[in-house]
C-alpha cells in the first residue's frame, strides 16, 4: 500500500502540472495528423497499400514509439534523481516508505501519467479514423493499444531505473539520452561491426543468423515484433511489413521474441536501479 500512496501522489502532482496537458495536446495533434495523412495521402505515406485500420496501426506505430520514448525521458528522468538532488527523498523516506516502495510508486505513477496521455491521444486519433474510413476494427485497435501500453511501461521502467542509479538530474538525463541514442539509432551498427571484424574486415554475402537476434535488442524493434505477433494477418497483408526473421531457421526467429526482449527491458534496468538506490548514501 505504501507504493500505491507514492504512486497516487506522483500522479496527482503530474495531473496538476502543465507539462502533462502539453504532452496530451501534442499527442492528440500528432495522432490526428497521422490519421489524416494516412487516409488522405496513402501513396505518399504507405505506397502500394490500400487504406485500412490495420495499415494505420503499423503506419502509426513507428511515430508512436519515437514519441513514447522521448516523452518517457522527459517525464521520468527526475523520478528518483530529482528527489535526491533537492533532498526531498529524505522527507519521503521519513514517512513509512521503504526505498523499494518509493521506486515502485514512482514507476507506477509515471506509467499512469504516460499511459493516460497515450490512451486519450490514440482514442481521439482512431475516433477520427472511424469518421474518415467509415469503419473500425475494434480488436485490432485494442491489440495495438495493449502493445503500445506495454512498450510505454518498458520505457518508463528503463528511465526510472536509470534515474534511480544517480542523485544528479544532469547525469540521469545523460544516461537516458545515451540509452535512447545507442539502442534506437546506433544499435544496427553493432552486429554489422562484429561480423565485419570477425570475417577478416569484410562483410560476408549473407549475415549469420545470430545477427537477427542481436537486432531485436532495441525496445522499439521488439515493439514492432510484438505488434506483428499480435496482428499476424494484418502484418502479412502489408508489403512493407515483412518480418526480418522469415528466412532464418532458428527458434528465436519468430515475432514472439519481441515479448522476451520487452520483458528483459521491463525488469533488468529497474532491478539495477533498485540495487544502486538501495545502497546509496542519501
Amino acid at each position: 500500500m505504501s507504493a500505491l500512496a507514492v504512486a497516487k501522489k506522483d500522479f496527482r502532482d503530474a495531473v496538476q502540472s502543465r507539462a502533462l496537458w502539453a504532452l496530451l495536446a501534442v499527442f492528440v495533434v500528432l495522432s490526428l495528423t497521422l490519421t489524416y495523412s494516412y487516409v488522405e495521402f496513402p501513396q505518399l505515406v504507405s505506397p502500394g497499400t490500400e487504406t485500412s485500420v490495420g495499415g494505420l496501426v503499423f503506419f502509426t506505430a513507428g511515430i508512436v514509439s519515437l514519441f513514447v520514448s522521448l516523452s518517457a525521458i522527459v517525464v521520468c528522468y527526475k523520478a528518483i534523481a530529482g528527489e535526491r538532488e533537492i533532498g526531498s527523498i529524505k522527507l519521503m523516506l521519513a514517512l513509512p516508505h521503504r526505498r523499494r516502495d518509493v521506486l515502485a510508486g514512482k514507476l507506477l505513477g509515471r506509467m499512469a501519467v504516460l499511459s493516460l496521455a497515450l490512451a486519450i491521444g490514440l482514442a481521439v486519433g482512431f475516433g477520427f479514423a472511424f469518421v474518415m474510413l467509415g469503419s473500425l476494427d475494434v480488436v485490432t485497435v485494442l491489440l495495438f493499444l495493449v502493445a503500445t501500453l506495454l512498450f510505454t511501461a518498458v520505457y518508463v521502467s528503463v528511465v526510472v531505473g536509470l534515474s534511480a542509479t544517480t542523485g544528479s538530474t544532469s547525469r540521469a538525463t545523460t544516461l537516458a539520452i545515451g540509452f535512447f541514442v545507442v539502442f534506437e539509432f546506433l544499435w544496427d551498427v553493432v552486429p554489422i561491426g562484429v561480423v565485419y571484424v570477425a570475417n577478416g574486415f569484410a562483410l560476408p554475402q549473407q549475415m549469420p543468423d545470430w545477427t537477427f537476434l542481436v537486432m531485436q535488442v532495441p525496445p522499439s524493434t521488439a515493439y514492432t515484433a510484438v505488434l506483428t505477433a499480435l496482428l499476424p494477418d494484418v502484418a502479412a497483408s502489408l508489403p512493407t511489413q515483412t518480418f526480418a526473421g522469415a528466412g532464418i531457421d532458428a527458434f528465436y526467429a519468430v515475432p514472439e521474441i519481441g515479448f522476451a526482449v520487452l520483458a528483459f527491458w521491463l525488469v533488468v534496468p529497474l532491478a539495477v536501479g533498485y540495487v544502486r538506490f538501495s545502497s546509496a548514501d542519501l
Side-chain angles (χ1 to χ4, degrees):
M1 293 301 292
S2 185
L4 289 178
V6 175
K8 288 178 181 178
K9 181 183 183 303
D10 206 51
F11 182 76
R12 283 197 302 267
D13 292 343
V15 168
Q16 296 171 3
S17 170
R18 294 180 181 178
L20 173 62
W21 298 105
L23 183 68
L24 176 59
V26 169
F27 190 64
V28 167
V29 172
L30 178 64
S31 187
L32 291 173
T33 302
L34 289 174
T35 300
Y36 182 81
S37 300
Y38 175 80
V39 176
E40 290 297 317
F41 310 106
Q43 296 306 315
L44 293 179
V45 300
S46 186
T49 304
E50 295 183 2
T51 55
S52 65
V53 174
L56 176 61
V57 161
F58 277 93
F59 169 68
T60 304
I63 306 298
V64 167
S65 65
L66 179 62
F67 177 83
V68 166
S69 54
L70 291 176
S71 297
I73 293 173
V74 172
V75 172
C76 303
Y77 80 98
K78 284 185 177 180
I80 301 296
E83 300 280 4
R84 289 176 61 183
E85 190 170 73
I86 64 177
S88 58
I89 192 70
K90 296 179 182 178
L91 178 61
M92 187 176 296
L93 291 173
L95 299 171
H97 300 314
R98 290 170 294 184
R99 296 193 188 194
R100 68 182 182 185
D101 296 325
V102 173
L103 183 60
K106 289 290 185 178
L107 174 70
L108 293 174
R110 303 300 163 107
M111 199 179 293
V113 169
L114 270 181
S115 296
L116 176 63
L118 192 67
I120 293 175
L122 289 178
V124 172
F126 281 102
F128 186 45
F130 175 73
V131 173
M132 297 192 72
L133 294 173
S135 63
L136 193 67
D137 187 339
V138 177
V139 174
T140 297
V141 173
L142 287 177
L143 289 175
F144 173 58
L145 180 60
V146 168
T148 305
L149 290 179
L150 175 59
F151 178 72
T152 302
V154 165
Y155 247 100
V156 171
S157 180
V158 168
V159 181
V160 170
L162 292 174
S163 180
T165 64
T166 178
S168 166
T169 54
S170 60
R171 192 175 299 119
T173 304
T174 301
L175 290 172
I177 294 177
F179 177 89
F180 175 76
V181 171
V182 169
F183 287 101
E184 301 296 357
F185 285 101
L186 303 179
W187 190 256
D188 288 352
V189 179
V190 172
I192 296 175
V194 172
V195 171
Y196 179 78
V197 173
N199 197 51
F201 297 96
L203 288 176
Q205 293 184 347
Q206 183 176 354
M207 297 292 284
D209 290 350
W210 61 263
T211 58
F212 165 79
L213 184 59
V214 177
M215 297 285 276
Q216 303 308 302
V217 168
S220 61
T221 303
Y223 167 58
T224 303
V226 165
L227 272 180
T228 303
L230 292 175
L231 301 169
D233 295 336
V234 174
S237 67
L238 302 175
T240 58
Q241 291 296 327
T242 302
F243 183 60
I248 299 175
D249 184 18
F251 73 92
Y252 52 77
V254 292
E256 287 76 12
I257 190 65
F259 288 103
V261 175
L262 290 186
F264 172 86
W265 288 122
L266 187 64
V267 173
V268 173
L270 198 65
V272 173
Y274 173 69
V275 171
R276 292 291 301 273
F277 180 47
S278 62
S279 61
D281 182 8
L282 304 178

